[in-house]
Amino acid sequence: MQQRMAAISEPNRFRIVEVLKDGPQPVGGIVDALGMGQPQVSRHLRLLAEAGVVEATKRAQQRIYQLRPDAMHVISDWAQGFAALWERRMDRLGSFLDDDRAPE
């Protein structure tokens, strides 16, 4: 998971993941969406693929990239653990504030 998080943490690769969340895209579509050069996009896609975040299928002369659902589930599950932590903390804060406001 660390390799996936490190790959996504780079701003341009994060933007590529954002584009791919809407569905599979050819390299040219990603280039157009981000206004980056094709060699730069291809390099970032290669790194994302090596980290297991995206996968490519070949269609004629194009490579179509899409997010790997299993990779995104691992990241989502990890983030959900923090959501539960913050929810418990907010509940405790709410209880503290309610107790503090109670008449004596």
Side-chain angles (χ1 to χ4, degrees), residues 21-63:
K21 78 177 181 186
D22 294 329
Q25 288 285 323
V27 175
I30 299 168
V31 167
D32 292 343
L34 300 180
M36 296 168 56
Q38 187 274 327
Q40 187 180 12
V41 168
S42 292
R43 181 174 55 88
H44 287 301
L45 285 167
R46 180 178 48 81
L47 293 169
L48 287 168
E50 288 173 1
V53 176
V54 300
E55 61 188 3
T57 54
K58 198 167 183 174
R59 187 185 315 150
Q61 299 298 317
Q62 288 186 323
R63 287 197 174 276

Side-chain angles (χ1 to χ4, degrees), residues 96-104:
F96 172 78
L97 293 173
D98 288 343
D99 290 346
D100 193 46
R101 288 186 219 146
E104 294 182 18

Side-chain angles (χ1 to χ4, degrees), residues 3-11 13-14 17 48 53 72 75:
Q3 184 182 12
R4 289 176 181 160
M5 295 294 283
I8 293 172
S9 69
E10 196 281 329
R13 291 192 289 270
F14 183 84
V17 169
L48 287 168
V53 176
M72 301 315 290
I75 293 169

